[in-house]
Amino acid sequence: MTAYPGRIAATPRRRGVGSRIVAAGRHALGLPMLLLVVWALVATRATSRFFPDPVTIADAFVDTWIGPAFVEDVLPSLARLGLGVAASIVVGIAAGTVIGLTPWLRELLEPLLEFLRAVPPPVLIPVMMILLGITDTMKVVVIVSGAVWPILLNTIEGVRSTDSVMTETARSFRVSWWERLWFLVLPAASPRIMAGVRQALSVALILMVISEMFASSSGLGYRIAYFQRNYLIAEMWSGILLLGGVGVLLAVAFGLVERRVLRWYHGIREVNRA
């Protein structure tokens, strides 16, 4: 023990969970708080009514969204967003797995998929309105029409990149097709699938707002457009901040799910780094 006193004294003590959470929160909130201070300082010198200070926007946020508007506008938007994302995940993973496992089908559909992917979903809104009417179904279909592509294409590539040696080994041991799919193909493709879902969340949020701005009588997009048309500037900014908050919550929730689903993948990466 006496041979290495300096080394023992220099060994750092591991921080507890509480201190790590506090440090993470301090790092996460530091820049936003700094930006709020800068915004407040600039707003006090600005003469334009289109650039209100944070206190005015906070008051408008409480008056606008804490109450009936939360039930009439926020919850319907979140419901459409959730349905659109869920449908995109189911369709994207199912279709991507089938296409990725079938080489001739992949070659047949590749030109069509590239063409459809290149079509901006907002230009389809008038067509959807004619076919489906101004309904919640139309808005969900618009969300799916854009959010499904990152999941579909990433699933195809993930399934294609499954290790051929492991696939042949599973076949030689007479592992059934369903077992290979569930225990080999989908786990191997899951990092790419989760990357596609992450991209799809941001696309779905954007399309939710756009679909409600075009044709709707409720929702966050409709309400923000209403505030803008009626020059309710502080209320408009409060809606934009609410959308940003929804995006942050989606990112946090997805991060928790991703860490659980890809726990094995992150574990392998940590071992490789060591």
Side-chain angles (χ1 to χ4, degrees):
M1 292 294 293
T2 57
Y4 306 101
R7 186 171 181 178
I8 295 175
T11 302
R13 181 177 298 176
R14 293 187 63 182
R15 295 186 299 174
V17 176
S19 61
R20 290 200 300 269
I21 293 175
V22 171
R26 186 167 60 245
H27 293 155
L29 296 177
L31 182 59
M33 295 300 296
L34 177 62
L35 293 177
L36 282 177
V37 172
V38 174
W39 188 346
L41 293 176
V42 174
T44 55
R45 298 176 177 273
T47 58
S48 174
R49 64 185 299 266
F50 298 103
F51 193 69
D53 60 89
V55 176
T56 303
I57 295 175
D59 292 338
F61 186 96
V62 173
D63 295 338
T64 303
W65 303 110
I66 307 300
F70 184 81
V71 177
E72 297 171 1
D73 294 309
V74 179
L75 290 183
S77 292
L78 295 179
R80 296 173 194 132
L81 178 65
L83 288 174
V85 171
S88 299
I89 292 174
V90 172
V91 173
I93 294 178
T97 301
V98 173
I99 297 172
L101 290 174
T102 314
W104 66 266
L105 183 61
R106 184 171 64 246
E107 295 176 2
L108 178 66
L109 294 179
E110 186 173 4
L112 179 62
L113 294 178
E114 291 298 328
F115 173 80
L116 294 176
R117 184 175 69 92
V119 177
V123 306
L124 299 176
I125 293 179
V127 179
M128 299 296 180
M129 291 170 58
I130 295 173
L131 296 177
L132 302 174
I134 304 176
T135 61
D136 287 345
T137 302
M138 181 273 295
K139 300 178 184 67
V140 173
V141 170
V142 170
I143 294 172
V144 174
S145 68
V148 72
W149 296 110
I151 303 173
L152 175 65
L153 298 177
N154 276 274
T155 302
I156 293 173
E157 292 302 319
V159 170
R160 284 182 58 189
S161 62
T162 303
D163 189 88
S164 59
V165 175
M166 296 181 67
T167 301
E168 292 301 325
T169 302
R171 286 176 180 168
S172 66
F173 279 97
R174 299 185 182 277
V175 178
S176 67
W177 187 88
W178 285 106
E179 288 176 334
R180 291 202 308 269
L181 175 66
W182 188 253
F183 295 107
L184 175 60
V185 175
L186 289 179
S190 58
R192 285 182 177 268
I193 293 174
M194 295 305 289
V197 174
R198 179 185 292 275
Q199 298 173 22
L201 288 176
S202 59
V203 174
L205 185 61
I206 294 171
L207 291 176
M208 179 201 77
V209 176
I210 294 176
S211 65
E212 292 174 350
M213 285 181 170
F214 267 80
S216 184
S217 59
S218 66
L220 281 169
Y222 162 78
R223 191 59 62 183
I224 292 173
Y226 172 83
F227 291 149
Q228 184 268 334
R229 288 193 297 266
N230 290 275
Y231 293 95
L232 300 171
I233 305 304
E235 288 78 4
M236 180 191 72
W237 277 104
S238 71
I240 295 173
L241 291 181
L242 179 58
L243 280 175
V246 171
V248 170
L249 291 178
L250 285 176
V252 171
F254 175 80
L256 296 175
V257 174
E258 182 188 36
R259 279 195 294 271
R260 182 167 184 81
V261 172
L262 299 181
R263 182 170 49 188
W264 63 271
Y265 177 72
H266 294 300
I268 292 175
R269 295 184 63 183
E270 289 295 330
V271 170
N272 291 335
R273 290 197 192 103

